[in-house]
Amino acid sequence: IDAYREKPIAETGSAGNFRKELEDWKAMTPNIFIWDYTCQFTNYLAPFPYQSVLQANVKYFKDNRVTGIFEHGSGDTYGDMAELQSYLQAKLLWDPEADRSKLTEEFCKGYYGPAAPSILEYLRLREEALLNSGKHLDIYGTPANDRNGYLSPEHMDAYDRLIRKAAGAVDGTVYQQRIARVRLSLEYAILQQSRVYGNEKHGFLQSGGTDRYIVKANWPQRVKNFAAECKKAGVRELSENGLSPARYQQEWENIFNRKWPFNLASNAKVTLLNPFAEDYPARGARTLVDGMTGFDDYSYNWLCFYGTDLIATLDMGKEIAFRNVSMNFLNDPRHSIYPPVRLTVETSDDGVHYVSYGLKPSDLKAFESDAKTNESVQLGAKLFGPEEENLKVRIRTFVFDPKVSCRARFIRVTAKVLPQQPSWRSYSNKKPMLCCDEIYVLP
């Protein structure tokens, strides 16, 4: 479960512990069964070019005297290339030495008919792109963080052309429905990535004037079409947490209903005193000023700090006037993510001497909203740190607003991480994590 899938288990460093454990089991028993994983459980529909290592892994298991294998995929809901995946698994478990390329070609010709050449090229291209990217293929990954890998805009455009070509070759036939399933994976990746691209070229937002962004006119309908196609294709869940297409559509409706103001700090240089978590890089320091807030998933638009404080300095390039500084922090105890225990904002003209921004208690307001519904309540005296036991995912918003305009070039935000797990999560050996999405500087 902890091995990446871009290389065979026999080769990838991430499977080192597994290989050692298998050797230990072989010394004790000739009866070994393997429970393997063959899709992205956080995103069942995400393009997941696992087929290239499937045969190598089956051979490795056989060579190491494994007598049974259970291939765990997306279950009774549709996942990326599920039909081909099942076909290859069945054939290779029966005969690990069979020719995978011939099996793939045999299946595509029979299942996609005249569209087979385009589908085969699509499969070949994404496998090649994955290997050339040097990126990991993670069963708990996300298409949103693959902007420079096998799901880059350039690769996505190439895949789209091939799938369109495939669809054009089989108009009005049963093959059309099967190719529509292939397209679902690409469309899902586009929608998920748009949440990260935000107001950029491949995002779902566009300029709505000098002070805000608005949702692109075609995006609400695009989401509706996706949900409808999911229903046709038999997609019941989009991830192992049970997210249905209907709930996914509602998530988007909540996103569409948000306000997306223009951040005065959008061009600021961000300097971090402490490193962010390497496993969840988002867009690096740029995440804090890219104009995009986060959602209920910490791997989308959240900059995470594992067991260390967030200390970020924004250099605006010149002295500017502003009045309001706000930011969001994720509250997701199930993943050991908690709001800060203390939060300060400071300003400076020279980047050396800082003064507090907002001195009175009334200068700071805090709200907490349900990450799925956006329903928000203002917090009372308890602004910082975790509440009593509650595993619900929420977003805590802090607003520094002294009601008077300020002029400064530098703004420094310090958020102190929870030093240890709360008593009701003391069984966890993970350090608490701090996740911030955007530091808004508003007029």
Side-chain angles (χ1 to χ4, degrees):
I1 196 170
D2 51 357
Y4 294 126
R5 299 307 204 269
E6 73 277 4
K7 294 181 180 179
I9 283 175
E11 301 175 18
T12 179
S14 60
N17 287 338
F18 170 80
R19 293 193 293 268
K20 172 64 168 57
E21 290 165 356
L22 184 55
E23 289 297 321
D24 292 344
W25 278 112
K26 282 164 56 180
M28 289 189 281
T29 176
N31 301 311
I32 302 174
F33 277 31
I34 296 293
W35 187 318
D36 195 17
Y37 299 91
T38 63
C39 70
Q40 192 168 94
F41 290 90
T42 42
N43 300 277
Y44 286 142
L45 281 178
F48 195 77
Y50 174 70
Q51 296 80 21
S52 61
V53 301
L54 174 62
Q55 181 165 30
N57 288 348
V58 172
K59 284 184 177 181
Y60 175 78
F61 294 147
K62 182 183 178 183
D63 292 344
N64 281 274
R65 303 203 305 273
V66 170
T67 55
I69 302 173
F70 170 53
E71 299 288 16
H72 184 175
S74 58
D76 64 351
T77 189
Y78 183 74
D80 174 62
M81 300 302 300
E83 304 94 337
L84 171 63
Q85 189 84 324
S86 295
Y87 188 82
L88 290 177
Q89 288 168 359
K91 291 288 188 178
L92 294 173
L93 289 173
W94 185 266
D95 178 11
E97 301 299 327
D99 189 321
R100 179 183 73 94
S101 295
K102 287 185 177 179
L103 290 175
T104 303
E105 184 175 347
E106 173 185 270
F107 175 84
C108 288
K109 285 182 177 179
Y111 197 71
Y112 299 111
S118 296
I119 299 297
L120 285 166
E121 178 63 12
Y122 166 62
L123 293 169
R124 186 200 66 78
L125 188 60
R126 67 184 202 170
E127 286 184 12
E128 179 184 87
L130 171 64
L131 289 176
N132 290 340
S133 72
K135 303 281 187 178
H136 293 310
L137 187 64
D138 189 350
I139 64 172
Y140 290 113
T142 167
N145 289 339
D146 195 56
R147 296 155 62 99
N148 301 312
Y150 74 100
L151 297 179
S152 69
E154 294 75 20
H155 286 124
M156 294 287 281
D157 286 345
Y159 303 153
D160 180 70
R161 288 192 294 270
L162 286 169
I163 295 174
R164 287 181 184 278
K165 184 177 180 181
V170 294
D171 284 341
T173 69
V174 68
Y175 299 127
Q176 189 76 29
Q177 300 170 11
R178 296 171 179 175
I179 292 166
R181 278 185 159 193
V182 178
R183 172 166 288 284
L184 265 183
S185 293
L186 194 64
E187 185 67 5
Y188 177 73
I190 290 171
L191 291 175
Q192 291 299 87
Q193 288 182 338
S194 77
R195 295 185 178 189
V196 176
Y197 286 114
N199 51 51
E200 297 179 359
K201 179 181 178 181
H202 300 282
F204 66 94
L205 296 173
Q206 64 185 25
S207 176
T210 58
D211 63 343
R212 64 193 176 103
Y213 296 101
I214 59 174
V215 175
K216 290 179 178 176
N218 68 319
W219 223 255
Q221 188 59 50
R222 189 167 191 169
V223 170
K224 289 180 181 178
N225 292 344
F226 171 76
E229 289 299 317
C230 281
K231 186 175 182 179
K232 291 180 184 177
V235 177
R236 297 176 178 86
E237 298 177 350
L238 295 170
S239 64
E240 68 175 352
N241 67 7
L243 178 65
S244 69
R247 275 178 51 206
Y248 182 70
Q249 183 178 345
Q250 185 58 57
E251 275 187 9
W252 272 105
E253 292 296 334
N254 294 333
I255 292 170
F256 296 151
N257 291 331
R258 288 187 186 184
K259 294 180 179 179
W260 299 94
F262 178 74
N263 190 352
L264 293 178
S266 62
N267 294 316
K269 177 183 177 182
V270 182
T271 303
L272 300 173
L273 186 62
N274 297 320
F276 52 82
E278 292 183 359
D279 290 346
Y280 311 106
R283 304 179 69 184
R286 174 82 184 141
T287 307
L288 299 177
V289 293
D290 66 355
M292 282 301 300
T293 55
F295 307 101
D296 62 338
D297 185 338
Y298 57 92
S299 61
Y300 286 78
N301 299 338
W302 294 99
L303 195 60
C304 305
F305 295 83
Y306 183 58
T308 190
D309 300 334
L310 159 64
I311 304 176
T313 301
L314 279 56
D315 180 357
M316 314 295 278
K318 62 180 180 180
E319 185 180 280
I320 67 163
F322 61 93
R323 199 190 80 167
N324 181 301
V325 178
S326 67
M327 63 218 73
N328 297 326
F329 289 90
L330 191 61
N331 190 1
D332 183 2
R334 188 182 300 278
H335 294 102
S336 298
I337 299 169
Y338 306 96
V341 295
R342 192 166 74 249
L343 182 64
T344 59
V345 174
E346 302 167 285
T347 63
S348 171
D349 296 327
D350 57 10
V352 177
H353 304 93
Y354 283 86
V355 296
S356 294
Y357 183 66
L359 299 175
K360 303 188 299 296
S362 61
D363 293 340
L364 171 62
K365 289 184 174 61
F367 305 85
E368 193 161 72
S369 58
D370 186 299
K372 295 188 180 300
T373 66
N374 287 348
E375 294 178 359
S376 179
V377 296
Q378 184 168 346
L379 298 178
K382 179 66 174 177
L383 303 182
F384 301 109
E387 299 176 359
E388 294 305 311
E389 185 169 357
N390 189 337
L391 296 180
K392 192 173 185 179
V393 180
R394 290 153 294 159
I395 296 173
R396 194 168 294 184
T397 303
F398 297 91
V399 181
F400 289 79
D401 187 2
K403 303 296 189 299
V404 294
S405 183
C406 175
R407 297 189 67 86
R409 172 176 171 175
F410 298 90
I411 299 173
R412 183 167 66 192
V413 173
T414 302
K416 305 291 290 185
V417 70
L418 187 70
Q420 61 187 24
Q421 294 278 357
S423 59
W424 48 272
R425 287 279 291 174
S426 59
Y427 57 85
S428 174
N429 60 5
K430 292 185 66 176
K431 296 178 182 178
M433 192 153 65
L434 195 65
C435 298
C436 183
D437 62 353
E438 183 84 359
I439 300 174
Y440 273 109
V441 180
L442 302 174

XYZ file of all heavy atoms in Angstrom, residues 177 263 350:
25
model
N -20.544 4.855 -26.408
C -20.766 4.858 -24.961
C -19.496 4.461 -24.214
O -19.198 4.988 -23.141
C -21.898 3.897 -24.602
C -23.240 4.241 -25.256
C -24.255 3.130 -25.074
O -24.042 2.201 -24.313
N -25.377 3.224 -25.798
N -6.809 39.892 -4.826
C -5.876 40.036 -3.712
C -4.809 41.072 -4.056
O -4.087 40.917 -5.053
C -5.229 38.674 -3.415
C -4.435 38.668 -2.114
O -4.232 39.701 -1.489
N -3.985 37.492 -1.710
N 10.414 48.768 6.200
C 11.750 48.419 5.734
C 12.062 46.927 5.759
O 13.154 46.509 5.361
C 12.801 49.169 6.565
C 12.674 48.874 8.055
O 11.917 47.965 8.430
O 13.343 49.575 8.857
